[in-house]
Amino acid sequence: MNLDLLFSSFMHEIGKATSEMEVYKALLNSVKSVLKYEKALVMKEDKVVYYEPEMLDIHKFEDYIAWIKQRLLPAFFSEEDKFIGIIPIVKQNKLLGVILLLTKNEPNNEILNLLQTFAFLTGVTVENLILLDQIKKSEKFMSDVLNSIKEGIFVLNEEGKIEFLNDFAKEILDLDPHINDFLKSAINDERKILTKEFNSHYYTVVKVKFNFSNETKYVVTFNNVTYEIELEKLKQLDKMKTEFVANISHELRTPLTAIKAYTETLLNMEVDRESQREFLETVYEQSERLESLLNDLLDFTLIESGTMELEYSEFDLCELIKEVVENLKQLAEKYNVKINVNCESVSISADKRRIKQAIHNLVDNSIKFSDKSKEKRYVNISVEKKEENLSIIIKDNGIGISQEDKEKIFEKFYRGDRSLTYEVPGTGLGLTIVQEIIKLHGGKINVQSTLGEGTTFELVIPYRK
């Protein structure tokens, strides 16, 4: 048996795989070439996801499997005149799955090491496939979100060629053949906002210039303002929408640029395994950032359409706050902010996921808008019990909010300190979402702030539904 040839063949097969099942099939085929087995299967999260040629009774070997999960090393056990082999699929001490096989042959150390290598490469490949699938879903989701917006969105290059347009933009193009010419002239116009008529339809046109992969791009949005009442509303929103489009372009560009750059490097260059892991971890982190951005946009569409609904359940509010603090631990360390919690066990009936989201958004803001000039920075979270309501108080000693901004912070797309618009990531929708969540619970949100001293948010929600 030529193990080097077998290893090369295995690498070739998993390199071609486009799904988990194809990876598991290649894995068991290679295992069978090394160690003839009668039956074999692959488990993931205690469920059988692939087997060949028929199922094994996994219940008979639950104790063995549990032991291997703790040990994270392969082992073979004598079972009558045969052997049961259990090989964990492990990556960075994280259990991703288990291979279970029945064979008459007990492997030597060389074969055992090869099987362990097969399992490790399987885990790496499966996680990569899952990551790539998540990126594709994120891209599709973003496309669906943009197509759901009833505004024409065009993305053009420096020559005026359309590189992207959403569904509503396609409808606008069908109205008048001269729109293409107008778009080319619009990117050279010094004005960022202008009004234009096409085929008896009036549009407010907003243009934003940005750089993507060292290339100049333009986002041009068309808002239908045919009716005067719509025109009056849009006059108030145009400025904020311009900033929102600019900000969203920046927020999208950052993770997408990173994802594209690292993916192209992996596809086009030979890199060592350690660098591969580092690159994929970066892609994963940026995908999570992109997913968070898309979640904000999705929540905003639910608010705009009035379809956000609550799912009530009983839970311990203090335990929920601890989860939020744990999730934001690394961010707090990055900004050198200490989070203090004063909360006793208290049960509440509410939508657990949405209340967690509201607290997370506020604490996240307090951390990101901490005052760098202060040596000691903190965020204090406390819960006060009242007759029928609970008050969740989030107090910080950050940069604070001006009186002018305090009156507008809950408006959609609004971001207070313009100097921090790109320094601090965000969509400008976070506080809008928080206010809607508390409002749906029958509660209210209070704000007290002094510029340069800090801010206190109080979420007042009923004990019961």
Side-chain angles (χ1 to χ4, degrees):
M1 184 193 319
N2 190 326
L3 297 184
D4 290 339
L5 182 61
L6 182 60
F7 181 81
S8 297
S9 176
F10 174 67
M11 291 294 293
H12 178 70
E13 287 300 315
I14 62 173
K16 295 190 303 179
T18 58
S19 69
E20 284 190 55
M21 293 304 106
E22 290 181 10
V23 176
Y24 297 142
K25 182 178 179 181
L27 170 65
L28 292 188
N29 284 340
S30 297
V31 170
K32 195 167 190 177
S33 299
V34 177
L35 188 70
K36 299 295 182 182
Y37 59 74
E38 297 179 8
K39 302 176 184 178
L41 58 82
V42 179
M43 296 174 62
K44 184 179 179 182
E45 296 178 352
D46 295 327
K47 293 182 180 179
V48 177
V49 293
Y50 187 80
Y51 61 87
E52 195 276 328
E54 59 187 75
M55 278 286 291
L56 273 162
D57 184 2
I58 60 175
H59 299 293
K60 292 173 57 179
F61 313 110
E62 288 179 342
D63 291 341
Y64 292 154
I65 295 173
W67 185 71
I68 290 299
K69 285 182 178 179
Q70 293 179 349
R71 190 166 175 259
L72 296 182
L73 290 172
F76 279 72
F77 306 93
S78 176
E79 182 73 18
E80 298 179 354
D81 60 336
K82 300 176 182 178
F83 293 92
I84 290 295
I86 306 176
I87 307 162
I89 300 175
V90 179
K91 181 188 174 187
Q92 294 181 332
N93 293 323
K94 176 184 176 184
L95 183 70
L96 304 178
V98 173
I99 307 165
L100 184 67
L101 56 87
L102 178 67
T103 180
K104 293 181 179 179
N105 306 308
E106 183 177 16
N108 56 31
N109 286 336
E110 185 180 20
I111 292 178
L112 203 60
N113 289 335
L114 183 62
L115 295 177
Q116 190 173 1
T117 302
F118 282 170
F120 168 78
L121 293 173
T122 297
V124 172
T125 304
V126 168
E127 280 210 332
N128 290 348
L129 288 173
I130 293 173
L131 179 59
L132 289 173
D133 183 61
Q134 289 174 343
I135 293 172
K136 290 178 181 178
K137 288 180 179 178
S138 296
E139 291 175 348
K140 182 181 183 302
F141 181 73
M142 189 61 199
S143 177
D144 290 343
V145 169
L146 292 174
N147 285 327
S148 72
I149 298 173
K150 292 303 180 182
E151 295 178 2
I153 301 176
F154 298 83
V155 178
L156 299 88
N157 62 18
E158 203 166 9
E159 288 74 38
K161 181 180 179 181
I162 298 174
E163 295 187 341
F164 171 84
L165 69 166
N166 68 348
D167 289 347
F168 197 69
K170 294 175 184 177
E171 295 179 15
I172 294 173
L173 275 179
D174 293 335
L175 290 176
D176 194 317
H178 298 100
I179 290 181
N180 263 319
D181 296 331
F182 168 76
L183 287 169
K184 292 180 180 179
S185 63
I187 64 175
N188 297 315
D189 196 313
E190 292 184 357
R191 293 173 294 173
K192 293 183 178 180
I193 303 175
L194 55 143
T195 303
K196 189 72 176 177
E197 178 188 1
F198 295 103
N199 196 20
S200 300
H201 290 264
Y202 291 88
Y203 294 92
T204 295
V205 182
V206 180
K207 179 191 69 177
V208 176
K209 179 181 178 181
F210 67 99
N211 290 320
F212 180 76
S213 296
N214 295 323
E215 293 181 5
T216 300
K217 308 287 183 183
Y218 297 88
V219 175
V220 182
T221 60
F222 279 60
N223 303 315
N224 192 330
V225 290
T226 304
Y227 301 102
E228 287 188 6
I229 186 170
E230 293 177 350
L231 180 59
E232 288 303 315
K233 291 180 180 179
L234 286 172
K235 280 181 179 178
Q236 299 176 9
L237 290 174
D238 274 342
K239 183 178 180 181
M240 287 188 292
K241 283 190 175 182
T242 301
E243 294 170 353
F244 175 71
V245 172
N247 182 53
I248 217 71
S249 300
H250 171 78
E251 290 295 315
L252 286 172
R253 182 174 72 249
T254 302
L256 286 175
T257 300
I259 291 170
K260 181 179 179 181
Y262 282 96
T263 304
E264 285 182 346
T265 302
L266 289 170
L267 290 173
N268 299 321
M269 295 179 59
E270 291 290 332
V271 294
D272 57 73
R273 186 171 298 170
E274 184 177 350
S275 296
Q276 286 181 358
R277 184 182 298 111
E278 181 181 347
F279 285 6
L280 290 172
E281 285 175 352
T282 301
V283 172
Y284 181 76
E285 290 172 0
Q286 295 302 321
S287 298
E288 283 191 320
R289 179 176 175 183
L290 188 60
E291 183 182 28
S292 176
L293 174 64
L294 296 177
N295 285 337
D296 276 354
L297 290 172
L298 177 60
D299 285 338
F300 175 69
T301 59
L302 293 177
I303 292 172
E304 286 290 277
S305 62
T307 56
M308 179 179 281
E309 297 180 353
L310 303 181
E311 295 179 7
Y312 279 82
S313 64
E314 294 276 347
F315 60 91
D316 189 318
L317 180 59
C318 297
E319 290 298 321
L320 183 71
I321 291 173
K322 289 179 182 177
E323 292 177 16
V324 172
V325 173
E326 184 62 27
N327 291 342
L328 292 171
K329 183 178 179 180
Q330 290 186 349
L331 182 66
E333 291 175 353
K334 176 182 177 182
Y335 284 82
N336 194 25
V337 174
K338 184 179 181 181
I339 304 179
N340 305 304
V341 178
N342 180 18
C343 183
E344 298 178 359
S345 179
V346 55
S347 179
I348 185 174
S349 176
D351 187 317
K352 183 176 181 180
R353 183 172 73 88
R354 290 302 183 183
I355 293 297
K356 182 176 182 180
Q357 181 182 9
I359 298 173
H360 183 282
N361 282 3
L362 292 177
V363 178
D364 182 84
N365 275 356
S366 291
I367 294 171
K368 290 178 179 176
F369 290 96
S370 58
D371 193 340
K372 295 179 180 178
S373 66
K374 296 174 182 175
E375 182 178 351
K376 293 184 179 180
R377 308 163 203 167
Y378 64 80
V379 178
N380 294 334
I381 309 171
S382 60
V383 175
E384 295 182 2
K385 302 178 183 178
K386 300 182 180 179
E387 291 184 0
E388 296 182 354
N389 299 321
L390 279 175
S391 286
I392 306 168
I393 301 169
I394 300 166
K395 181 178 181 180
D396 64 61
N397 67 336
I399 61 175
I401 305 169
S402 69
Q403 186 61 37
E404 178 187 357
D405 287 335
K406 193 164 64 173
E407 297 173 358
K408 300 178 181 180
I409 56 175
F410 294 106
E411 294 178 7
K412 54 193 176 185
F413 311 134
Y414 188 79
R415 304 194 75 194
D417 192 338
R418 298 294 184 274
S419 65
L420 295 175
T421 296
Y422 290 109
E423 183 180 344
V424 179
T427 60
L429 300 175
L431 290 178
T432 305
I433 295 170
V434 171
Q435 185 184 53
E436 182 68 14
I437 290 172
I438 301 305
K439 181 181 176 182
L440 287 174
H441 279 86
K444 62 180 180 178
I445 180 168
N446 301 318
V447 185
Q448 292 182 349
S449 185
T450 302
L451 196 63
E453 294 184 12
T455 304
T456 300
F457 282 93
E458 180 188 19
L459 305 180
V460 182
I461 53 177
Y463 270 107
R464 295 288 177 264
K465 181 165 61 172

